[in-house]
Amino acid sequence: MALAASLLPVLLLMLLLVGRPGRGAPGQGAGTWSRFARLPYPQDQLFLHDTFPDGFLWGTGSAAYQTEGGWRQGGKGASVWDTFAHRPATPPGADPPGPVGGDVASDSYNNLFRDVEGLRRLGVSHYRFSLSWARLLPNGTAPVNPTGLAHYRRLLLRLRELAVEPVVTLYHWDLPQALQDAFGGWASPVLPQIFHDYAELCFRHFGGQVRYWLTMDNPYVVAWHGYGTGRLPPGVRGGPRLGYLAAHHLLQAHAKVWHLYNDHFRPTQRGKLSIALSSHWIKPQRMTEKNIKECQKSLDFVLGWFAKPIFIDGDYPETMKSNLSSLLPEFSEVEKKYIKGTADFFALSFGATLSFQLLDSHMKFQQLESISLRQLLYWINSEYNNPQIFIVENSWFVSGTTKRDDAKYIYYLKKFVMETLKAIRYDGVNVFGYTVWSLLDGFEWHRGYSIRRGLFYVDFQSHDKKLMPKSSVLFYQKLIEKNGFPPLPENQPIEGIFPCGFAWGVVDNYIQVDTTPAQFLDSSVYVWDVHQTKKLIKVDGVYTSKRKRHCVDFAAIRLQISLLQEMHVTHFHFSLKWSLILPLGNLSLINHTLVHYYQCFASELLRVNITPVVALWQPMIEHQELPVSLAKYGAWENTETIQAFVEYARFCFTSLGDHVKFWITMNEPSVKNLTYTAGHNLLKAHAKVWHLYDKEFRRSQKGKISIALQADWVEPACPFSRNDQEVADRILEFDIGWLAEPIFGNGDYPDVMRAWLHRINSVDLYNFHLPYFSEDEKKLIQGSFDFFALSHYTTTLVGSEKEDAVKYDHYLEVQMINDITWLHSPGRAAVVPWGLRKLLKWVKSKYGDVPIYVMANGIDDDQNMVHDKLRVYYIQNYINEALKAYTLDNINLQGYFVYSFNDKTAPKYGLYSYVANQYEPKPSMRHYREIIDNNGFPGPETPELLCPEEVASCSECQFFRTRKSLLAFISFIFVAFIVTIFFITYYSKRVERRYK
């Protein structure tokens, strides 16, 4: 099975090869949504560990207005963005909220060598930057500014010295203000020729050192928001008609420049030229043909608006022409031929500038915006004839207050790069380069300085504007060095088996209790009315003698036992209900019927060779599952609850101890809902119960007992950050160490907890008191365990930088982070198998070579068989990580339990579904059974493990052992029957002889 798991990516690749697009054409992209809806789940969503093709281009970029600053230096003219940013945005006399627009920004104009040093540190192969039109031609046309020419020559020279390929954008939104004033900017038909002349200047002066040219960036934003809505410079609110006209002129300008380069500069400079087109991604609200057409239309209106004329036929998409009528300008046949094919590659911009920001809501056509780069790449591949694609801008953003540890940025970057890799390896898309945006923090257009997108941090308030590498720099460095995400040994499944006697179990928080008496306990006499009603009629006043109750009378037990037998588990873990066994919290009122039911359940488990694992108490929402009398008077905050728990435990050991040899005092006490006082009392109660069992019951009952803690793994969001590592260590101590350290460690709370609470109490005026144990109490609690039992479900990422207020814990100063490349369940639980192995290693490093049981491990579904595939994957890989911990890390792992038994008692978590009063095994149950039967993941090289026979290994033999009286009765009947037959036969023959 482990070998099969390692072949999943190969099998998936073979499957996806069938679905790769052929020669593209307009409208073929509409098949994208149905294709991705059919891909195998969850395999298609797994992280792909692979590398990019040799020679793949890795780079970063920036835009002149966002980073250069120096808006009045070196003879630079004003741009429309300079004018737009200087509009009065604050009341007269008020101080501006921060830096004004791009006046200074990152001050790259005065720090050219600083920026290039950042490129050297990253190890990139290319750097995308834009030329400031107004710096080269202050008026938009001649005369030329020699200082501006010299600036860009120095930059290109330094890039050549570092062997970094320049990717140069002629126009990145910063149109000279003079052209806007004189002609009305891109609303004028004269602009294409002026742009042509500007481009010719650039080709002549810089073309010998530039292999990749981009005419302009994101013409959608320039046309629609610059001249239609007026949201961005030059701020003209001309409505849709002017927006479409400006786009018309932008396309004409691009085509002019391409032909200029192709005819006059390409033969000598041998470069390539394209246009940077930006797009969003959209998904249908429901997978209907109508919704898919609306999604196709959305992409036509944003990306296809410019891409179809350039890459297909020189004309606008049919959906635009049929919907916009006279609003959309028309190209002549000559213009169509002139525009068609004016790109040497497809330059794609995708990310935070357009997505969820500058995309007009009506262009979504009531569908749902998404950030799936992979599906967009596939759509472009299908729609535009399999072009070579160069991703010239991609990333997300972090808060403007985030400094060095930009975890959110890293995980979005990881997602986008991984999706690009899948598009190449799985979907056959020809992507040859990737550009992270951006090199350094800068002015983020309409969002100003409220967000950051740079790999390097810039303190905008400082004078020298030093670049400080963020964690994302280290991430991107390693990505470039490895050319992707090569497979690592620790990511590969292993073969092997668990030791003899390994506990394979399943969990049911609370077993189904049904004490309804069986029909055989009814002492009434009935007559069958065979002539009229055909029913049984009770005979009044006539009774038979009552017989003694037997465990087989409980039908609910028989059913549950049969399901557990079908699973082949060796152990079954469930919790008792303290509130029902002792409703008043003491021995004055005992629910003997329920106790008898538990006795029967445990004995029936033993009869079929399944070991009961029984928890005395598990907290639930209502009254914490405590007797009402205890819950009302402080629950665990009341010291009287300690003694009540001890007496309850004594009763359970006495009543059930002959059948139960595996006890849990408290199962998953939730530290999230515990006060420090309650936790203090809970620890003392556990220790007292452990010592009670150890002194009074262990010798006769020969069992073992401990506490089961919930223990999800916590990982630093930025693995290179010391601050994030400190946060992760702190959370582990508060989440696990709080209850574990006193029991398994030194008898007292973790030092980290005490130090942290002292700090926040003194600095932030909190008043959180962590109680102290007396020396006797420390001795009582320390060592009160026989094994370390833990429940593990998922892994959480934590960071030190506050990014999202909703997910920030002010008390512990921790930011919860989500790795969006991880698989997630319908309930948004992250599926991170390696987290279990890290947790087990952490437990060993903290508490020594203690026997460990994983008492619960499971994932939710949405009662859809498609998502049970996720549980199959979950069980397979979490158990394999447990095997690594046992085999490779020498963890003393004794058992593994799946959560949960069935959907009736734990909806959405069960290995059995429960529909219409019927239990049905899910595929995940069968998969788990197979792992149990194999005792792990044996391979061809795995040595055979010969385990000694267990005492009650034969369930049929055990059946006969436990029913001696029944067997004696059956034997008597059988012998009597044989003797009767013998005498009948014997005397019959004698009679026959007499008559003869």
PDB file of all heavy atoms in Angstrom, residues 467-487:
ATOM      1  N   LEU A 467      17.033  48.023   2.459  1.00  0.00           N
ATOM      2  CA  LEU A 467      16.265  46.809   2.185  1.00  0.00           C
ATOM      3  C   LEU A 467      16.571  45.781   3.255  1.00  0.00           C
ATOM      4  O   LEU A 467      17.737  45.476   3.523  1.00  0.00           O
ATOM      5  CB  LEU A 467      16.628  46.220   0.817  1.00  0.00           C
ATOM      6  CG  LEU A 467      16.263  47.003  -0.434  1.00  0.00           C
ATOM      7  CD1 LEU A 467      16.456  46.120  -1.662  1.00  0.00           C
ATOM      8  CD2 LEU A 467      14.842  47.511  -0.385  1.00  0.00           C
ATOM      9  N   MET A 468      15.523  45.231   3.857  1.00  0.00           N
ATOM     10  CA  MET A 468      15.683  44.177   4.848  1.00  0.00           C
ATOM     11  C   MET A 468      14.958  42.934   4.348  1.00  0.00           C
ATOM     12  O   MET A 468      13.763  42.995   4.040  1.00  0.00           O
ATOM     13  CB  MET A 468      15.125  44.619   6.200  1.00  0.00           C
ATOM     14  CG  MET A 468      15.932  45.735   6.837  1.00  0.00           C
ATOM     15  SD  MET A 468      15.321  46.199   8.480  1.00  0.00           S
ATOM     16  CE  MET A 468      13.945  47.245   8.020  1.00  0.00           C
ATOM     17  N   PRO A 469      15.661  41.828   4.207  1.00  0.00           N
ATOM     18  CA  PRO A 469      15.031  40.625   3.654  1.00  0.00           C
ATOM     19  C   PRO A 469      13.945  40.090   4.578  1.00  0.00           C
ATOM     20  O   PRO A 469      14.133  39.969   5.782  1.00  0.00           O
ATOM     21  CB  PRO A 469      16.189  39.633   3.524  1.00  0.00           C
ATOM     22  CG  PRO A 469      17.198  40.107   4.517  1.00  0.00           C
ATOM     23  CD  PRO A 469      17.069  41.603   4.573  1.00  0.00           C
ATOM     24  N   LYS A 470      12.806  39.755   3.993  1.00  0.00           N
ATOM     25  CA  LYS A 470      11.735  39.102   4.734  1.00  0.00           C
ATOM     26  C   LYS A 470      11.940  37.590   4.667  1.00  0.00           C
ATOM     27  O   LYS A 470      12.805  37.080   3.936  1.00  0.00           O
ATOM     28  CB  LYS A 470      10.376  39.469   4.139  1.00  0.00           C
ATOM     29  CG  LYS A 470      10.075  40.960   4.104  1.00  0.00           C
ATOM     30  CD  LYS A 470       8.703  41.211   3.486  1.00  0.00           C
ATOM     31  CE  LYS A 470       8.440  42.679   3.242  1.00  0.00           C
ATOM     32  NZ  LYS A 470       7.132  42.916   2.599  1.00  0.00           N
ATOM     33  N   SER A 471      11.112  36.882   5.379  1.00  0.00           N
ATOM     34  CA  SER A 471      11.189  35.413   5.332  1.00  0.00           C
ATOM     35  C   SER A 471      10.943  34.901   3.922  1.00  0.00           C
ATOM     36  O   SER A 471      11.479  33.864   3.521  1.00  0.00           O
ATOM     37  CB  SER A 471      10.170  34.805   6.301  1.00  0.00           C
ATOM     38  OG  SER A 471      10.501  35.097   7.635  1.00  0.00           O
ATOM     39  N   SER A 472      10.138  35.636   3.150  1.00  0.00           N
ATOM     40  CA  SER A 472       9.840  35.216   1.778  1.00  0.00           C
ATOM     41  C   SER A 472      11.094  35.230   0.906  1.00  0.00           C
ATOM     42  O   SER A 472      11.167  34.488  -0.082  1.00  0.00           O
ATOM     43  CB  SER A 472       8.769  36.114   1.166  1.00  0.00           C
ATOM     44  OG  SER A 472       9.119  37.471   1.269  1.00  0.00           O
ATOM     45  N   VAL A 473      12.090  36.050   1.241  1.00  0.00           N
ATOM     46  CA  VAL A 473      13.352  36.039   0.494  1.00  0.00           C
ATOM     47  C   VAL A 473      14.018  34.678   0.623  1.00  0.00           C
ATOM     48  O   VAL A 473      14.467  34.074  -0.361  1.00  0.00           O
ATOM     49  CB  VAL A 473      14.289  37.159   0.986  1.00  0.00           C
ATOM     50  CG1 VAL A 473      15.716  36.941   0.474  1.00  0.00           C
ATOM     51  CG2 VAL A 473      13.781  38.517   0.528  1.00  0.00           C
ATOM     52  N   LEU A 474      14.088  34.178   1.848  1.00  0.00           N
ATOM     53  CA  LEU A 474      14.705  32.866   2.076  1.00  0.00           C
ATOM     54  C   LEU A 474      13.911  31.774   1.376  1.00  0.00           C
ATOM     55  O   LEU A 474      14.484  30.835   0.800  1.00  0.00           O
ATOM     56  CB  LEU A 474      14.801  32.593   3.569  1.00  0.00           C
ATOM     57  CG  LEU A 474      15.669  33.583   4.361  1.00  0.00           C
ATOM     58  CD1 LEU A 474      15.545  33.321   5.858  1.00  0.00           C
ATOM     59  CD2 LEU A 474      17.118  33.469   3.936  1.00  0.00           C
ATOM     60  N   PHE A 475      12.575  31.883   1.429  1.00  0.00           N
ATOM     61  CA  PHE A 475      11.741  30.884   0.752  1.00  0.00           C
ATOM     62  C   PHE A 475      12.011  30.886  -0.754  1.00  0.00           C
ATOM     63  O   PHE A 475      12.201  29.830  -1.371  1.00  0.00           O
ATOM     64  CB  PHE A 475      10.268  31.182   1.029  1.00  0.00           C
ATOM     65  CG  PHE A 475       9.317  30.325   0.250  1.00  0.00           C
ATOM     66  CD1 PHE A 475       9.011  29.036   0.676  1.00  0.00           C
ATOM     67  CD2 PHE A 475       8.737  30.779  -0.927  1.00  0.00           C
ATOM     68  CE1 PHE A 475       8.148  28.232  -0.043  1.00  0.00           C
ATOM     69  CE2 PHE A 475       7.871  29.979  -1.650  1.00  0.00           C
ATOM     70  CZ  PHE A 475       7.573  28.704  -1.210  1.00  0.00           C
ATOM     71  N   TYR A 476      12.017  32.072  -1.356  1.00  0.00           N
ATOM     72  CA  TYR A 476      12.195  32.170  -2.803  1.00  0.00           C
ATOM     73  C   TYR A 476      13.612  31.776  -3.217  1.00  0.00           C
ATOM     74  O   TYR A 476      13.812  31.144  -4.263  1.00  0.00           O
ATOM     75  CB  TYR A 476      11.862  33.587  -3.263  1.00  0.00           C
ATOM     76  CG  TYR A 476      11.613  33.706  -4.751  1.00  0.00           C
ATOM     77  CD1 TYR A 476      10.832  32.778  -5.431  1.00  0.00           C
ATOM     78  CD2 TYR A 476      12.139  34.770  -5.479  1.00  0.00           C
ATOM     79  CE1 TYR A 476      10.598  32.887  -6.794  1.00  0.00           C
ATOM     80  CE2 TYR A 476      11.908  34.900  -6.843  1.00  0.00           C
ATOM     81  CZ  TYR A 476      11.139  33.956  -7.491  1.00  0.00           C
ATOM     82  OH  TYR A 476      10.904  34.074  -8.842  1.00  0.00           O
ATOM     83  N   GLN A 477      14.606  32.123  -2.395  1.00  0.00           N
ATOM     84  CA  GLN A 477      15.979  31.693  -2.664  1.00  0.00           C
ATOM     85  C   GLN A 477      16.059  30.180  -2.823  1.00  0.00           C
ATOM     86  O   GLN A 477      16.620  29.655  -3.786  1.00  0.00           O
ATOM     87  CB  GLN A 477      16.892  32.109  -1.509  1.00  0.00           C
ATOM     88  CG  GLN A 477      17.481  33.490  -1.589  1.00  0.00           C
ATOM     89  CD  GLN A 477      18.353  33.766  -0.372  1.00  0.00           C
ATOM     90  OE1 GLN A 477      18.163  33.179   0.700  1.00  0.00           O
ATOM     91  NE2 GLN A 477      19.314  34.653  -0.530  1.00  0.00           N
ATOM     92  N   LYS A 478      15.524  29.469  -1.835  1.00  0.00           N
ATOM     93  CA  LYS A 478      15.588  28.009  -1.860  1.00  0.00           C
ATOM     94  C   LYS A 478      14.789  27.439  -3.028  1.00  0.00           C
ATOM     95  O   LYS A 478      15.174  26.433  -3.623  1.00  0.00           O
ATOM     96  CB  LYS A 478      15.080  27.441  -0.520  1.00  0.00           C
ATOM     97  CG  LYS A 478      15.989  27.760   0.653  1.00  0.00           C
ATOM     98  CD  LYS A 478      15.532  27.081   1.922  1.00  0.00           C
ATOM     99  CE  LYS A 478      16.476  27.362   3.069  1.00  0.00           C
ATOM    100  NZ  LYS A 478      17.825  26.810   2.843  1.00  0.00           N
ATOM    101  N   LEU A 479      13.660  28.074  -3.325  1.00  0.00           N
ATOM    102  CA  LEU A 479      12.850  27.639  -4.462  1.00  0.00           C
ATOM    103  C   LEU A 479      13.654  27.724  -5.754  1.00  0.00           C
ATOM    104  O   LEU A 479      13.642  26.795  -6.574  1.00  0.00           O
ATOM    105  CB  LEU A 479      11.597  28.512  -4.542  1.00  0.00           C
ATOM    106  CG  LEU A 479      10.596  28.203  -5.641  1.00  0.00           C
ATOM    107  CD1 LEU A 479       9.953  26.844  -5.427  1.00  0.00           C
ATOM    108  CD2 LEU A 479       9.524  29.284  -5.698  1.00  0.00           C
ATOM    109  N   ILE A 480      14.371  28.830  -5.935  1.00  0.00           N
ATOM    110  CA  ILE A 480      15.183  29.010  -7.144  1.00  0.00           C
ATOM    111  C   ILE A 480      16.332  28.010  -7.167  1.00  0.00           C
ATOM    112  O   ILE A 480      16.617  27.384  -8.196  1.00  0.00           O
ATOM    113  CB  ILE A 480      15.711  30.458  -7.212  1.00  0.00           C
ATOM    114  CG1 ILE A 480      14.545  31.437  -7.400  1.00  0.00           C
ATOM    115  CG2 ILE A 480      16.716  30.611  -8.348  1.00  0.00           C
ATOM    116  CD1 ILE A 480      14.940  32.899  -7.264  1.00  0.00           C
ATOM    117  N   GLU A 481      16.997  27.845  -6.021  1.00  0.00           N
ATOM    118  CA  GLU A 481      18.123  26.907  -5.943  1.00  0.00           C
ATOM    119  C   GLU A 481      17.709  25.496  -6.339  1.00  0.00           C
ATOM    120  O   GLU A 481      18.427  24.783  -7.045  1.00  0.00           O
ATOM    121  CB  GLU A 481      18.685  26.885  -4.523  1.00  0.00           C
ATOM    122  CG  GLU A 481      19.478  28.123  -4.134  1.00  0.00           C
ATOM    123  CD  GLU A 481      19.863  28.085  -2.671  1.00  0.00           C
ATOM    124  OE1 GLU A 481      19.654  27.031  -2.025  1.00  0.00           O
ATOM    125  OE2 GLU A 481      20.357  29.113  -2.146  1.00  0.00           O
ATOM    126  N   LYS A 482      16.542  25.080  -5.882  1.00  0.00           N
ATOM    127  CA  LYS A 482      16.089  23.708  -6.131  1.00  0.00           C
ATOM    128  C   LYS A 482      15.271  23.594  -7.411  1.00  0.00           C
ATOM    129  O   LYS A 482      14.873  22.483  -7.793  1.00  0.00           O
ATOM    130  CB  LYS A 482      15.254  23.220  -4.944  1.00  0.00           C
ATOM    131  CG  LYS A 482      16.051  23.150  -3.650  1.00  0.00           C
ATOM    132  CD  LYS A 482      15.173  22.731  -2.474  1.00  0.00           C
ATOM    133  CE  LYS A 482      15.965  22.661  -1.190  1.00  0.00           C
ATOM    134  NZ  LYS A 482      15.127  22.284  -0.018  1.00  0.00           N
ATOM    135  N   ASN A 483      14.985  24.752  -8.046  1.00  0.00           N
ATOM    136  CA  ASN A 483      14.178  24.774  -9.268  1.00  0.00           C
ATOM    137  C   ASN A 483      12.811  24.131  -9.052  1.00  0.00           C
ATOM    138  O   ASN A 483      12.290  23.414  -9.904  1.00  0.00           O
ATOM    139  CB  ASN A 483      14.907  24.074 -10.428  1.00  0.00           C
ATOM    140  CG  ASN A 483      14.316  24.451 -11.775  1.00  0.00           C
ATOM    141  OD1 ASN A 483      13.839  25.564 -11.978  1.00  0.00           O
ATOM    142  ND2 ASN A 483      14.332  23.515 -12.712  1.00  0.00           N
ATOM    143  N   GLY A 484      12.242  24.395  -7.898  1.00  0.00           N
ATOM    144  CA  GLY A 484      10.918  23.856  -7.606  1.00  0.00           C
ATOM    145  C   GLY A 484      10.878  23.196  -6.253  1.00  0.00           C
ATOM    146  O   GLY A 484      11.542  23.620  -5.300  1.00  0.00           O
ATOM    147  N   PHE A 485      10.125  22.109  -6.181  1.00  0.00           N
ATOM    148  CA  PHE A 485       9.919  21.376  -4.928  1.00  0.00           C
ATOM    149  C   PHE A 485      10.302  19.909  -5.127  1.00  0.00           C
ATOM    150  O   PHE A 485       9.438  19.043  -5.269  1.00  0.00           O
ATOM    151  CB  PHE A 485       8.456  21.472  -4.490  1.00  0.00           C
ATOM    152  CG  PHE A 485       7.902  22.871  -4.450  1.00  0.00           C
ATOM    153  CD1 PHE A 485       7.091  23.338  -5.480  1.00  0.00           C
ATOM    154  CD2 PHE A 485       8.188  23.724  -3.401  1.00  0.00           C
ATOM    155  CE1 PHE A 485       6.566  24.612  -5.449  1.00  0.00           C
ATOM    156  CE2 PHE A 485       7.683  25.005  -3.367  1.00  0.00           C
ATOM    157  CZ  PHE A 485       6.867  25.464  -4.394  1.00  0.00           C
ATOM    158  N   PRO A 486      11.596  19.626  -5.191  1.00  0.00           N
ATOM    159  CA  PRO A 486      12.000  18.235  -5.457  1.00  0.00           C
ATOM    160  C   PRO A 486      11.535  17.301  -4.354  1.00  0.00           C
ATOM    161  O   PRO A 486      11.418  17.707  -3.191  1.00  0.00           O
ATOM    162  CB  PRO A 486      13.532  18.318  -5.508  1.00  0.00           C
ATOM    163  CG  PRO A 486      13.875  19.542  -4.726  1.00  0.00           C
ATOM    164  CD  PRO A 486      12.745  20.505  -4.951  1.00  0.00           C
ATOM    165  N   PRO A 487      11.260  16.052  -4.708  1.00  0.00           N
ATOM    166  CA  PRO A 487      10.834  15.081  -3.681  1.00  0.00           C
ATOM    167  C   PRO A 487      11.919  14.915  -2.618  1.00  0.00           C
ATOM    168  O   PRO A 487      13.103  14.867  -2.926  1.00  0.00           O
ATOM    169  CB  PRO A 487      10.633  13.787  -4.483  1.00  0.00           C
ATOM    170  CG  PRO A 487      10.480  14.224  -5.903  1.00  0.00           C
ATOM    171  CD  PRO A 487      11.298  15.463  -6.055  1.00  0.00           C
TER     172      PRO A 487
END
